[in-house]
Amino acid sequence: MLQPKNLLQEEGSPYLRQHGDNPVHWRPWSSAALAEAVRLDRPILLSVGYAACHWCHVMAHESFENDEVAEVMNRLFVNIKVDREERPDIDQIYMAALASMGEQGGWPLTMFLTPDAKPFWGGTYFPREPRYGRPGFIQVLNAVDAAWRGKRASILQSATELSRHVGQRLGNTAPAGEISPQALETLAQGINGMIDRELGGLRGAPKFPNAPFMQTLWLSWLKSGDQDRRGAVIKSLEHMLSGGIYDHVGGGLARYSTDAHWLVPHFEKMLYDNAQLIRQLNWAYATTGKDLFRIRIEDIVDWLLREMRLPMGTFASSLDADSEGEEGLFYTWTRTGIETVLGDDSPSFFKYFTITKPQSWEGDPIIHQTSGQAEKSVEDRQVVAGLTSRLLVEREKRIRPGRDDKALTDWNGLLITALAETGRSLGRRDWIDVGAKAFSAIVASAENGRLPHSSLGDKRLYPALSSDYAAMINAAVALFEATGDGSYVNHASSFLDALDSWHADTDKTGYFLTASDSADVPLRIRGDVDEAIPSATSQIIEAMVRLASAAGDIEMQERAWSVAAHAAGRIQSQQFGQAGIVNACALALEPSKLIVIEDPARPTLVSVPNRNPDPRRVDIFLPLGGDASQAKLPGNELPDMKKAGAYLCTGLICLPVITDTSKLEEALRRR
């Protein structure tokens, strides 16, 4: 029997620990907490958030730290707190329930559940006192309690119907759909029509980086040659990188801007945003040659190594938006503050940067750049770096925002992939080594052959989600491409085995997000819906396609096609929320691989694919006289290992062997 006290202090989530001193009798999500609700016959108050969430902090300070509010919560409800990053499966279920009620989603998510965990009412942030057109939180608590006592039968019926609806929406099975180039083209047309032609990103505010949408446009350009799609991505990246959403002093992108100009961010920095940005900047630099993209990659990686790397070599999840109780305080500057640090060099700084304080922003001014300043700062890179480094030294003396030190396996997998790919493109072997160390640390954390989803010191949360295995397969293939070490392919195969063992559906046409032995989930969902990162299903399809190419496994390629086709069948009416699956289906439609064979002591061809990254292609580099079994061509044919050359294949069709670097460059760019 659980004790009537707060049980969060020893959890492996910094977000949960932040609430460990609340007078609320919080429980972590668990079978024991759910059983307590049944035993007491009380509704569950479920609160979902994450460590870097500004409004989560506001609600915690106003309500969860308040004795009067806590007394009502403790008397009427079983109170469960969830870190959405630890338990995206739980978060997605109840966020979908809120959406089905016709409510706007967001965090903190506040949901009221029946004792058997079925949702019946909810919202997001509630103030302690009535304001913003919202009722006060104690009013909400008492109203929910009164409804539960007076209308219990109807609440139970509607909760059962809502749960059934959510289950069908998130965990449904559908016949295989058609995988065709038209799906990508239709989605790209729709997204392209929503692009802000002046400022990049989607029109309006707030503005999110939206990596899955940017990838749709990029894949569409690669397929069709439509320069408008390419231009939309390039413009979006340029505006993000010059706006206040980018940290011009320390590097790294904030989660989103509250305005349409990329100026005023919510200042939290998320690992996943920056991992995906690095990868897309790499593509943009390769096709444009613009040094702005290369410089920002370098600065983001420097920030990650300086502020986000954990002792074991993995990376922390996020940095908070707030410090000293104020959002953005750590990152913003007054003109006087800049002049105090830079002295006579201050006019030089303002030649490259602008500081702005919009009326809607209560803090100090925000550093950003005009397009002209961004171009000039690239030309005068060393001067600018000298100025910002002095501000960075001064900024390090401030009280830092909180860091969420849990290492999430899937988010780390995204970053490892980005480091391996950009390390190849920019000739940074040290970045590849950083990615390899993070990969090894995650592999070493496995227990009985199964990865954790989250690690915080010696505390680990098992079992992994399907997204964890998928991200690690993609990371393994990227490291194989970067190093030529075949052991990474073996690791990837073992991760796919774990997916098959614990996450596959009964007819082997897809996967569930949670493992089959996860005892505390009210229902198993597919993981088809994108969030700020591509959905678990889309990552699985990409992983299977890429691993099949790396291993030369036709049977695996056919399995990937089946998973993609059934995913396509499930999403026919919701593609904007499931762009990741459309993108992954495009990879399954035309898998591409390049095998390069040459003398490692005198390489010439290898530099060509390194500087021409393509998300559709897997690259395999082998030495002359090497093991031909590692270089299977379609139809199980093997290349001539005695002669230097490059073999470029799309699907089952390969070009004649290419031995000239200029011809290989032409073939890759034409492809």
Side-chain angles (χ1 to χ4, degrees), residues 98-303:
L98 185 66
S100 296
M101 296 173 189
E103 296 291 331
Q104 181 76 30
W107 298 276
L109 173 63
T110 307
M111 293 294 291
F112 294 91
L113 320 179
T114 64
D116 58 350
K118 294 183 175 71
F120 64 87
W121 192 77
T124 53
Y125 162 77
F126 291 100
R128 188 175 70 198
E129 306 297 335
R131 65 178 185 275
Y132 309 128
R134 294 171 178 265
F137 195 46
I138 289 180
Q139 287 179 284
V140 169
L141 298 174
N142 285 321
V144 171
D145 175 63
W148 173 252
R149 294 177 186 278
K151 302 177 181 178
R152 179 164 177 164
S154 63
I155 285 175
L156 290 173
Q157 181 179 352
S158 63
T160 298
E161 292 171 356
L162 178 59
S163 295
R164 185 181 301 114
H165 170 75
V166 170
Q168 290 172 345
R169 178 179 166 190
L170 299 185
N172 68 313
T173 298
E178 181 184 7
I179 304 177
S180 71
Q182 189 57 43
L184 178 68
E185 174 59 22
T186 300
L187 179 61
Q189 282 181 355
I191 294 171
N192 201 42
M194 297 187 285
I195 290 292
D196 184 330
R197 295 298 163 185
E198 181 184 355
L199 299 170
L202 301 185
R203 287 191 298 270
K207 263 187 161 52
F208 288 83
N210 206 320
F213 276 17
M214 293 299 106
Q215 183 161 355
T216 299
L217 294 174
W218 198 259
L219 290 173
S220 173
W221 166 64
L222 289 172
K223 176 65 178 174
S224 68
D226 187 329
Q227 291 294 322
D228 195 41
R229 313 278 168 83
R230 173 184 178 273
V233 177
I234 298 299
K235 180 180 283 289
S236 298
L237 291 172
E238 288 175 337
H239 280 282
M240 285 181 221
L241 297 177
S242 61
I245 191 175
Y246 185 79
D247 179 1
H248 294 276
V249 171
L253 193 78
R255 182 166 170 256
Y256 67 96
S257 68
T258 61
D259 62 297
H261 295 265
W262 302 106
L263 175 60
V264 181
H266 257 317
F267 283 87
E268 65 262 37
K269 291 182 182 178
M270 314 302 294
L271 185 66
Y272 58 73
D273 280 324
N274 288 279
Q276 293 176 105
L277 181 64
I278 289 170
R279 198 175 184 219
Q280 294 186 353
L281 289 176
N282 191 40
W283 304 339
Y285 176 61
T287 61
T288 66
K290 290 188 175 183
D291 282 332
L292 172 67
F293 298 137
R294 174 185 56 80
I295 289 168
R296 290 291 188 264
I297 292 171
E298 293 169 349
D299 288 346
I300 294 169
V301 175
D302 285 347
W303 161 68

